[in-house]
């Protein structure tokens, strides 16, 4: 039985590294008394797979994980038992049993949305903000230098950005960002805002930034949908 589960990764849980997240879920399932399925071979591993990794410190409002268990069990009971063993900040939202042959998460997810809060280093008028965002989106190319172990690498990040909107709230700006994702990579929210600051001369305080991924999606013909199908899922109580 393969389960697909939507969950949150917020508050202190946002500091759990992606590699450690597998151990968190494996331990929770084991403590819940649910027998997991494992890979074959000498170095057996639990069959747990996630969507695109969250950067440490970034909150996730709706993330997804696939977990294989050895027996068909009541889905609501399974999710409830697992939830009891998870740390604060990781809350199971929905789940469903996948049909045989269902594609893995990394094969279907191809977009993500973010909400970013950032302080203004200097006051910005709403008209100036909208002008800067519009000018950035109108650019055919936005080259950003990403630093790797091999040194700086220039990358055109503009093709990855599907939507960018900003609104002033007090002394901060709240940006809504939607990006494409894939095996060839994506763009980080902080890279988009850093380039917006540099290219459009916006006084953004990059030291005071809070990023939340509001969802990861299956995007097709301009429409976003969930990797959970619309029928047969279990909604956990609030």
């Amino acid at each position: 039985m393969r389960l697909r589960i939507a969950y949150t990764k917020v508050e202190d849980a946002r500091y759990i590294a992606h590699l450690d997240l597998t151990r968190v879920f494996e331990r929770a399932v084991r403590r819940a008394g649910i027998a997991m399925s494992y890979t074959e071979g000498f170095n057996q591993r639990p069959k747990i797979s996630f969507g695109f990794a969250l950067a440490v410190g970034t909150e996730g409002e709706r993330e997804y994980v696939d977990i294989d268990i050895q027996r068909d069990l009541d889905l609501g009971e399974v999710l409830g038992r697992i939830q009891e063993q998870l740390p604060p900040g990781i809350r199971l939202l929905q789940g469903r049993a996948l049909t045989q042959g269902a594609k893995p998460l990394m094969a279907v997810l191809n977009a993500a949305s973010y909400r970013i809060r950032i302080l203004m280093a200097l006051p910005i008028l709403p008209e100036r903000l909208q002008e800067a965002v519009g000018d950035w989106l109108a650019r055919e190319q936005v080259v950003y230098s990403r630093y790797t172990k091999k040194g700086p690498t220039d990358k055109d990040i503009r093709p990855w950005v599907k939507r960018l909107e900003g609104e002033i709230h007090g002394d901060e700006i709240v940006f809504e960002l939607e990006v494409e994702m894939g095996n060839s990579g994506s763009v980080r929210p902080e890279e988009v805002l850093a380039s917006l600051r540099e290219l459009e001369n916006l006084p953004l305080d990059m030291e005071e930034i809070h990023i939340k991924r509001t969802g990861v999606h299956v995007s097709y013909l301009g429409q976003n949908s969930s990797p959970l199908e619309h029928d047969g899922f279990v909604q956990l109580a609030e």
Side-chain angles (χ1 to χ4, degrees):
M1 182 179 184
R2 173 175 293 178
L3 308 180
R4 176 159 294 168
I5 302 170
Y7 67 95
T8 67
K9 187 171 181 275
V10 298
E11 301 169 350
D12 287 347
R14 71 183 187 270
Y15 297 113
I16 300 174
H18 187 69
L19 292 177
D20 294 328
L21 198 58
T22 297
R23 289 188 282 271
V24 168
F25 271 90
E26 179 186 7
R27 184 168 58 247
V29 175
R30 187 173 63 250
R31 289 178 175 174
I34 300 168
M36 298 183 60
S37 297
Y38 287 80
T39 59
E40 298 179 356
F42 179 76
N43 185 23
Q44 295 185 347
R45 293 172 296 174
K47 289 186 176 180
I48 299 179
S49 59
F50 295 87
F52 291 96
L54 271 175
V56 174
T58 297
E59 291 190 312
E61 199 170 80
R62 192 176 181 84
E63 301 296 304
Y64 296 94
V65 60
D66 288 349
I67 302 175
D68 285 29
I69 61 177
Q70 293 184 16
R71 295 172 51 206
D72 288 348
L73 300 172
D74 178 78
L75 183 56
E77 180 185 352
V78 168
L79 297 179
R81 285 161 59 182
I82 295 174
Q83 180 65 78
E84 292 177 354
Q85 306 301 326
L86 288 169
I90 297 181
R91 184 168 64 89
L92 307 186
L93 303 172
Q94 294 176 344
R96 70 159 299 132
L98 297 180
T99 57
Q100 188 173 7
K103 293 182 178 179
L105 284 168
M106 292 295 285
V108 295
L109 294 174
N110 58 0
S113 53
Y114 295 88
R115 182 173 297 117
I116 311 157
R117 303 199 326 265
I118 186 168
L119 286 178
M120 294 180 285
L122 294 170
I124 302 173
L125 292 175
E127 299 80 10
R128 174 71 186 101
L129 173 63
Q130 299 310 317
E131 178 187 33
V133 170
D135 289 347
W136 192 95
L137 290 171
R139 293 176 179 270
E140 293 184 0
Q141 187 179 60
V142 176
V143 177
Y144 187 87
S145 292
R146 179 178 292 180
Y147 289 86
T148 66
K149 294 180 180 179
K150 298 180 180 179
T153 301
D154 290 342
K155 178 181 179 180
D156 181 12
I157 63 174
R158 179 62 187 90
W160 298 101
V161 177
K162 302 174 66 176
R163 181 173 67 93
L164 176 63
E165 299 173 358
E167 190 172 281
I168 296 174
H169 293 265
D171 59 353
E172 68 178 16
I173 301 176
V174 177
F175 286 98
E176 298 288 343
L177 172 68
E178 185 175 336
V179 302
E180 293 183 5
M181 308 182 80
N183 293 331
S184 57
S186 185
V187 60
R188 301 167 187 162
E190 57 269 31
E191 293 175 340
V192 175
L193 294 200
S195 69
L196 186 64
R197 181 187 64 174
E198 295 168 8
L199 295 175
E200 310 305 338
N201 197 28
L202 273 185
L204 304 177
D205 187 349
M206 297 301 297
E207 299 299 321
E208 296 293 336
I209 184 171
H210 179 272
I211 302 172
K212 174 180 285 188
R213 189 157 73 184
T214 54
V216 281
H217 317 290
V218 181
S219 181
Y220 181 69
L221 297 178
Q223 298 294 320
N224 291 337
S225 61
S226 165
L228 286 170
E229 298 176 16
H230 297 293
D231 61 331
F233 65 78
V234 170
Q235 174 82 43
L236 272 72
E238 296 291 339

